[in-house]
Amino acid sequence: MRKTFVRRSMTALALALLASSASAQKFEERIAPCLACHGEKGRSETDNTPSLGAQQAPYALIQLYMFREKLRVNEIMNEMAKPLNDDDLRTFSDFIAKLPKPAPPADAGDAARMARGQAAAAQHRCNTCHNPDYSGKENVPRIGNQREDYLAKTLAEYKSNTRAGYDASMADVMAPVTPEQIADLAYYIARVR
Amino acid sequence: MKSDIFAPRSLWLAGAFLGALTLNAAAQQPAASPAPSAAPAAAAPLPPGSPLIGRPADSEAAAKLAPIAPPPIPAAADKLPTAKLKVPAGFNIEVYASGIANARSLAEGDKGTIFVGSRLVGNVYAISTDKDGKRTVKTIASGLHRPNGVAFKNGTLYIAELSKISKVDNAEDNLGSPAKLVTIFDKLPKDEAHGWKFIAIGPDNKLYIPVGQPGNNVLHDNEHGLIRRINLDGSGDEVIARGVRNTVGFDWNPENKQLYFTDNGRDWMSEDVPEDELNRITKVGEHFGAPYCLQGNIVDPEFGWGKSCADYTAPVALLGPHSAALGMRFYTGKMFPTAYKNQIILARHGSWNRSKKVGGDVLLVTLNKDGTVKKTEPFITGFIEDNKYIGRPVDVMQMKDGSLLVSDDYNGAVYRVSYGKQKVADKK
């Protein structure tokens, strides 16, 4: 599954890179490989790959920049961002911000797990920076209704500092959060209404 | 080329991981096995490193405040706020160089190269000026971990990352190729909070290295909350000051060689106190109060029980609440009026932990003969517009010609302040 995904992504990537050599490439063509994995309508259907819908533009810009500069390491994204200039970063992040925000999943989730997740979010005050509705602000990302697998993966990476944030905030915040709490937080934030 | 620089990065990642584990252990928090009850748990203490420690619950105004991250892409030269920046009569301010993402600390080389560190984008830059006055910005190192600090002495550039100090020999001779960093000192903690460093070389030819408190307001071990110095080969490590929460700027009084340093006060105690500090070291090993005594006259509400401010060295000046007093240097040049001679010019990055922003300016701090502070007054203003930043000054540095450079990490630019009719930087 994972292999197929990587192969598919790399094919899309190769096509994208080939295409980008064409001088007057339309924006729709340039964004197509992004949407192939991240979802056409702001919601990703790909494992461990974030939904981008209505993401805060300043946050998206910072991440694209960090991918380009390899300050954030992800083989596919580092390659995708490599040819982008500063204006491209702005154009892509502004476009992402205008995609529809991901909707909460149809099922409301297990009540006990939702309650545990809500308690953990209150304990660690996620809503201070990410806002009470988890829509984020400026350089703080929208996390509400993000994919659960991606949320869990990201929180674990911040905790281990294998994903060094743009600044130190998340590394600090995650220090006392347990693996069980990470699972509950991801479950809750993915389904929050 | 880039991979050379990346090899050490995996080492710091490993180190940072250990650091996070240590921090976790130090938190001594119960590994909250969350109760499967439906009632949300009461908010437990935040981890020691969190900038949110102390945030009052249920305050709508407080919930709006969070650290402000500068954009990673520098502002275009024609979008810089230079025209809005105000300087005293007779002074001029102009763009010295732009396109320097997250420009932080400044150092001048023997041949006039200006080295610039960054905090969030991993780069160290060199600004060089050719004989026709044309200026070029080159990235001489990238992929570093929070390379905020730069210092220069006898042809060698010193770079401070989060937890190590490196040197680049003959740094001005090979600006076209990536700098070769050699680590000289790495006996430093790896905490992200207040881990970025300003560095400078003193009149004793030693390199001064601060280690901040690992969080907003925390009790910590003997390896934090201090300033230490080392010989330029990394030997002779010695702590010279304690009780320092987070200093990001210091310099030596040219008249008596005493070290003056800025220190940032804690957050979330209130809108108006404590204030940031200007301190002076008169003897090795002095304690400046943090986290027990704040701004010289307030015992900390949490850690101050049983403590007295009389037991700590008080600041020589208070610099405003949350104002983020960072870079400071004594002005020793001949270009500015004599009233500026041997006085302090000091940058306030500007507050985030305050509803109405303060700082976002550069001050002139005038001293009495005995080294105490006579007065502080604005020198450069205009970085705040409608309670928003249009730029944020970080470091100040006097060039050999007596003009003053000011870095702005929000716009990724360096400005130059000169006095008199001379409008353009010296064309060397």
Side-chain angles (χ1 to χ4, degrees):
Chain A
M1 175 99 185
R2 168 90 189 146
K3 258 190 178 161
T4 320
F5 159 63
V6 171
R7 202 179 311 128
R8 190 149 39 92
S9 308
M10 293 311 273
T11 312
L13 172 65
L15 287 172
L17 291 177
L18 273 178
S20 67
S21 58
S23 52
Q25 196 194 9
K26 287 200 187 103
F27 179 74
E28 291 74 23
E29 292 167 16
R30 299 189 69 194
I31 198 81
C34 310
L35 303 183
C37 294
H38 289 283
E40 298 278 344
K41 296 186 176 108
R43 172 146 202 97
S44 159
E45 303 295 341
T46 316
D47 289 352
N48 288 311
T49 303
S51 299
L52 301 181
Q55 189 49 275
Q56 298 292 334
Y59 170 79
L61 177 72
I62 287 168
Q63 298 311 310
L64 286 170
Y65 174 88
M66 291 182 78
F67 282 130
R68 187 183 71 183
E69 306 297 319
K70 293 190 179 170
L71 292 167
R72 180 176 171 189
V73 180
N74 174 295
E75 201 183 327
I76 295 168
M77 285 306 299
N78 294 146
E79 281 302 312
M80 291 296 254
K82 202 188 226 170
L84 304 180
N85 63 30
D86 288 355
D87 284 339
D88 292 335
L89 300 187
R90 286 193 195 93
T91 307
F92 281 107
S93 48
D94 288 348
F95 175 85
I96 287 166
K98 291 194 185 81
L99 289 169
K101 68 177 180 187
D107 82 288
D110 175 70
R113 289 200 73 186
M114 288 298 279
R116 288 208 304 269
Q118 188 178 13
Q123 179 192 348
H124 300 292
R125 304 193 195 184
C126 309
N127 62 355
T128 299
C129 296
H130 291 280
N131 284 4
D133 63 354
Y134 300 105
S135 58
K137 57 191 172 218
E138 298 286 319
N139 55 298
V140 181
R142 171 187 292 276
I143 52 174
N145 304 136
Q146 182 52 270
R147 286 183 62 93
E148 184 182 346
D149 59 357
Y150 178 75
L151 286 169
K153 172 169 114 72
T154 305
L155 289 170
E157 286 171 352
Y158 276 132
K159 184 172 171 63
S160 63
N161 214 8
T162 46
R163 175 171 169 184
Y166 186 57
D167 67 15
S169 305
M170 283 304 292
D172 296 340
V173 167
M174 288 307 293
V177 181
T178 63
E180 294 76 19
Q181 278 191 317
I182 286 179
D184 290 338
L185 282 167
Y187 188 90
Y188 168 69
I189 293 167
R191 290 170 176 79
V192 70
R193 281 164 201 266
Chain B
M1 225 165 272
K2 214 159 184 178
S3 58
D4 284 347
I5 296 166
F6 262 80
R9 192 163 175 273
S10 58
L11 290 177
W12 71 248
L13 278 174
F17 178 59
L18 287 175
L21 284 177
T22 318
L23 196 67
N24 193 13
Q28 294 185 337
Q29 281 209 322
S33 49
S37 90
L46 286 159
S50 172
L52 302 177
I53 281 181
R55 181 181 72 94
D58 306 320
S59 166
E60 209 177 301
K64 285 184 184 143
L65 303 175
I68 298 160
I73 295 171
D78 60 355
K79 297 271 166 57
L80 292 170
T82 328
K84 294 176 175 172
L85 302 179
K86 294 176 199 72
V87 287
F91 285 90
N92 318 293
I93 185 162
E94 67 191 313
V95 176
Y96 182 77
S98 61
I100 311 166
N102 197 229
R104 296 277 298 185
S105 306
L106 301 166
E108 184 174 23
D110 298 332
K111 298 172 186 170
T113 310
I114 305 298
F115 293 98
V116 189
S118 70
R119 178 158 84 89
L120 302 174
V121 300
N123 297 335
V124 174
Y125 310 92
I127 310 170
S128 47
T129 309
D130 70 14
K131 58 184 185 320
D132 300 321
K134 191 175 172 294
R135 228 158 264 142
T136 316
V137 178
K138 290 199 178 89
T139 302
I140 59 164
S142 59
L144 305 184
H145 192 42
R146 318 230 185 266
N148 185 77
V150 286
F152 192 94
K153 186 88 183 188
N154 297 335
T156 300
L157 171 69
Y158 298 84
I159 298 173
E161 291 180 76
L162 185 95
S163 63
K164 70 177 177 191
I165 312 296
S166 305
K167 66 169 185 171
V168 180
D169 287 329
N170 307 315
E172 290 186 280
D173 300 338
N174 296 299
L175 296 177
S177 52
K180 291 193 179 70
L181 275 68
V182 179
T183 302
I184 59 166
F185 187 77
D186 60 3
K187 217 183 81 186
L188 291 164
K190 296 180 169 63
D191 309 271
E192 287 280 342
H194 298 156
W196 59 93
K197 292 171 172 40
F198 173 90
I199 50 170
I201 296 163
D204 53 4
N205 213 31
K206 289 172 188 282
L207 183 75
Y208 284 66
I209 308 164
V211 180
Q213 199 172 278
N216 173 32
N217 196 43
V218 285
L219 289 176
H220 52 75
D221 62 17
N222 278 338
E223 298 300 308
H224 294 83
L226 53 81
I227 302 174
R228 64 193 339 146
R229 64 183 172 198
I230 58 172
N231 297 318
L232 295 182
D233 62 1
S235 67
D237 168 29
E238 175 190 22
V239 174
I240 58 145
R242 295 194 178 275
V244 180
R245 182 176 171 278
N246 187 34
T247 178
V248 196
F250 41 82
D251 197 13
W252 289 262
N253 187 330
E255 293 184 335
N256 60 14
K257 312 296 182 209
Q258 285 176 342
L259 178 68
Y260 285 65
F261 67 92
T262 58
D263 196 11
N264 286 217
R266 66 162 288 191
D267 294 316
W268 295 120
M269 189 173 139
S270 79
E271 293 258 8
D272 294 331
V273 289
E275 296 195 35
D276 285 7
E277 304 170 357
L278 177 65
N279 291 298
R280 166 174 66 154
I281 302 178
T282 54
K283 56 178 186 291
V284 168
E286 252 175 312
H287 197 296
F288 290 86
Y292 312 111
C293 170
L294 317 170
Q295 68 164 52
N297 59 9
I298 300 174
V299 286
D300 186 79
E302 195 177 347
F303 301 126
W305 294 92
K307 306 286 182 184
S308 165
C309 280
D311 295 333
Y312 307 104
T313 305
V316 289
L318 299 182
L319 299 170
H322 310 293
S323 66
L326 302 185
M328 57 150 285
R329 316 271 178 156
F330 281 85
Y331 184 79
T332 59
K334 293 194 174 72
M335 181 190 280
F336 290 6
T338 51
Y340 289 79
K341 183 92 177 175
N342 293 348
Q343 309 303 326
I344 298 170
I345 296 176
L346 184 155
R348 299 195 300 175
H349 196 221
S351 62
W352 65 262
N353 192 225
R354 195 170 194 276
S355 298
K356 188 177 188 318
K357 291 188 170 56
V358 294
D361 55 16
V362 176
L363 303 178
L364 171 66
V365 180
T366 312
L367 302 180
N368 295 310
K369 283 227 155 44
D370 64 0
T372 56
V373 171
K374 189 176 180 183
K375 62 175 176 181
T376 60
E377 60 196 296
F379 181 59
I380 310 174
T381 57
F383 287 100
I384 300 176
E385 204 175 67
D386 300 331
N387 208 31
K388 290 199 177 86
Y389 293 109
I390 57 171
R392 297 185 85 185
V394 177
D395 198 11
V396 292
M397 194 207 73
Q398 178 200 315
M399 291 206 291
K400 290 188 181 72
D401 69 357
S403 62
L404 182 85
L405 296 184
V406 180
S407 61
D408 173 352
D409 65 348
Y410 198 79
N411 289 306
V414 175
Y415 311 103
R416 175 177 178 264
V417 179
S418 58
Y419 183 77
K421 281 194 188 127
Q422 176 195 27
K423 284 253 178 193
V424 182
D426 277 349
K427 292 181 181 180
K428 288 173 187 170

